């Protein structure tokens, strides 16, 4: 089952990468009020149901894919 | 005749300061052993552990996030729980934070640049084995070289750690955007310390500074005591 995990810097956490990207976009003439840079992980999960795939992905995020001190995560399961 | 205590220096794929650390510890009277990350146990008689700098597992995902699952880390966890002194330098600090052995996390430097120079750090607390040879408020000159060394804790955690005296070292100059200019943090039991500066690169005045030797000698002292206590 195809699962996509989005990992973002938590709200309120300074994101220097995002600031650099925003600064450059503005320089290029784009009107950008904010930019945050996170990470996307595409997974192929062996699971019988979408619900099971989601709960596995949640555990993956807690154990490895995100650091809860600074990052939040969002999970999308195909067909859910 | 003085005892040469055995100190394990862990080696992960991508570690690159392991040999410098082992050399420095040897020069300070320790018997340093390089220990591969896949080992299940520390060498017999290990009396202190160092996690060196580098880019373990290519720093994939987040610095230290993968190394924390290395087999040898279970042995380090046990060693630390039994009161053994554990020092994490740079990438070693990142690993200890990811492993939950130290509080907080290391993030990309505020200005996004790789900082590589001598910095002055201030010893805030001397009640750890690592800083026992220092004076409170003493300034040390030790080099840093990192891109992801900005230590972060939220306000609540920061106040807790500050009150508990776990913020052991601070930068005495602007370095990387660390919260509270924190350069080194210890655990609650005070036997695990992580710091971004590299004491192993500052053990001989000929190379700029010998101040790092003060911190490493503290570790060697503790290792020697532990060895003698076990005899």
């Amino acid at each position: 089952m195809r699962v996509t995990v989005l990992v973002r810097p938590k709200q309120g956490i300074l994101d220097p990468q995002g600031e650099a990207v925003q600064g450059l976009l503005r320089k290029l003439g784009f009107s950008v009020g904010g930019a945050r840079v996170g990470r996307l992980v595409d997974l192929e999960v062996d699971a019988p149901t979408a619900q099971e795939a989601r709960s596995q992905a949640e555990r993956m995020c807690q154990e490895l894919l995100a650091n809860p001190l600074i990052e939040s995560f969002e999970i999308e399961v195909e067909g859910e | 005749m003085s005892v040469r205590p055995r100190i394990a220096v862990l080696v992960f794929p991508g570690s690159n300061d392991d040999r410098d650390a082992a050399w420095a510890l040897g020069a300070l009277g320790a018997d340093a052993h390089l220990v591969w990350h896949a080992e299940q146990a520390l060498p017999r008689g290990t009396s202190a552990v160092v996690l060196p700098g580098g880019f373990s597992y290519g720093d994939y995902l987040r610095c230290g996030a993968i190394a924390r699952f290395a087999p040898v880390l279970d042995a380090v966890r046990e060693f630390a729980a039994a009161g053994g002194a554990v020092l994490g330098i740079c990438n070693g600090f990142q690993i200890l934070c990811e492993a939950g052995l130290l509080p907080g996390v290391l993030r990309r430097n505020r200005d996004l640049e790789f900082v590589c120079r001598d910095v002055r750090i201030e010893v805030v607390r001397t009640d750890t084995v690592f800083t026992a040879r220092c004076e409170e408020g003493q300034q040390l000159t030790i080099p840093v070289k990192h891109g992801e060394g900005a230590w972060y804790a939220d306000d609540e955690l920061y106040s807790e750690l500050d009150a508990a005296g776990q913020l052991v070292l601070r930068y005495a100059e602007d370095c990387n955007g660390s919260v509270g200019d924190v350069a080194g943090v210890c655990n609650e039991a005070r036997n695990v310390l992580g710091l971004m500066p590299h004491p192993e690169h500052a053990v001989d005045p000929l190379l700029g500074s010998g101040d790092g030797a003060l911190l490493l000698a503290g570790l060697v002292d503790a290792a020697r005591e532990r060895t003698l206590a076990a005899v």
Side-chain angles (χ1 to χ4, degrees):
Chain A
M1 201 152 307
R2 203 176 161 77
V3 176
T4 303
V5 174
L6 294 161
V7 181
R8 295 190 171 89
K10 266 190 184 169
Q11 262 188 2
I13 293 234
L14 178 73
D15 175 23
Q17 272 194 97
E19 283 181 4
V21 168
Q22 181 191 359
L24 186 55
L25 287 173
R26 279 187 174 165
K27 226 181 227 176
L28 293 171
F30 294 102
S31 167
V32 177
R36 311 276 285 168
V37 176
R39 190 164 53 237
L40 181 149
V41 186
D42 269 332
L43 299 163
E44 199 60 52
V45 179
D46 280 337
T49 63
Q51 199 185 0
E52 169 62 21
R54 171 174 293 279
S55 90
Q56 278 194 39
E58 263 167 30
R59 277 176 25 230
M60 292 179 205
C61 287
Q62 281 152 6
E63 284 178 34
L64 176 67
L65 298 179
N67 184 323
L69 287 176
I70 46 171
E71 294 169 331
S72 61
F73 59 85
E74 204 177 295
I75 296 165
E76 288 168 11
V77 181
E78 194 179 37
E80 203 182 48
Chain B
M1 161 122 189
S2 77
V3 180
R4 288 182 80 84
R6 181 159 300 170
I7 299 185
V9 177
L10 307 188
V11 185
F12 300 92
S15 294
N16 59 16
D17 292 320
D18 43 324
R19 283 156 197 259
D20 279 24
W23 185 89
L25 292 165
L28 292 166
D31 169 29
H33 278 237
L34 297 177
V35 178
W36 185 234
H37 70 119
E39 295 290 337
Q40 306 279 345
L42 296 167
R44 187 187 299 265
T46 292
S47 53
V49 175
V50 172
L51 286 78
F55 301 85
S56 57
Y57 302 93
D59 274 353
Y60 293 158
L61 197 62
R62 296 179 307 275
C63 305
I66 295 179
R68 83 172 244 232
F69 293 104
V72 76
L73 253 284
D74 288 334
V76 173
R77 234 179 258 282
E78 261 177 52
F79 181 77
V86 176
L87 176 67
I89 303 167
C90 196
N91 191 228
F93 185 13
Q94 295 163 340
I95 295 169
L96 291 173
C97 284
E98 281 283 342
L101 284 165
L102 287 176
V105 59
L106 281 312
R107 306 188 60 217
R108 188 71 63 94
N109 293 347
R110 182 196 53 219
D111 298 333
L112 295 177
E113 60 178 3
F114 191 94
V115 184
C116 184
R117 60 179 163 88
D118 281 344
V119 292
R120 280 176 300 115
I121 58 173
E122 186 186 322
V123 179
V124 182
R125 305 285 301 208
T126 55
D127 52 353
T128 74
V129 297
F130 316 93
T131 50
R133 285 202 185 202
C134 305
E135 307 277 333
E136 200 180 305
Q138 185 175 357
Q139 291 204 355
L140 309 174
T141 298
I142 298 183
V144 294
K145 44 172 187 142
H146 59 247
E148 310 196 19
W151 180 79
Y152 174 84
D154 63 21
D155 292 345
E156 196 186 334
L157 178 60
Y158 181 87
S159 314
E160 250 174 58
L161 297 172
D162 197 18
Q166 288 177 244
L167 308 175
V168 177
L169 302 166
R170 288 186 201 271
Y171 297 107
E173 58 187 88
D174 188 40
C175 180
N176 56 22
S178 272
V179 171
D181 287 323
V182 169
V185 183
C186 74
N187 64 340
E188 208 180 338
R190 316 191 77 73
N191 64 318
V192 180
L193 177 83
L195 78 168
M196 288 313 294
H198 286 265
E200 80 281 20
H201 296 332
V203 291
D204 191 327
L206 192 62
L207 297 176
S209 167
D211 291 351
L214 279 175
L215 302 177
L216 294 179
L219 178 71
V220 175
D221 290 342
R224 188 175 290 120
E225 267 176 44
R226 194 173 175 85
T227 304
L228 291 172
V231 172

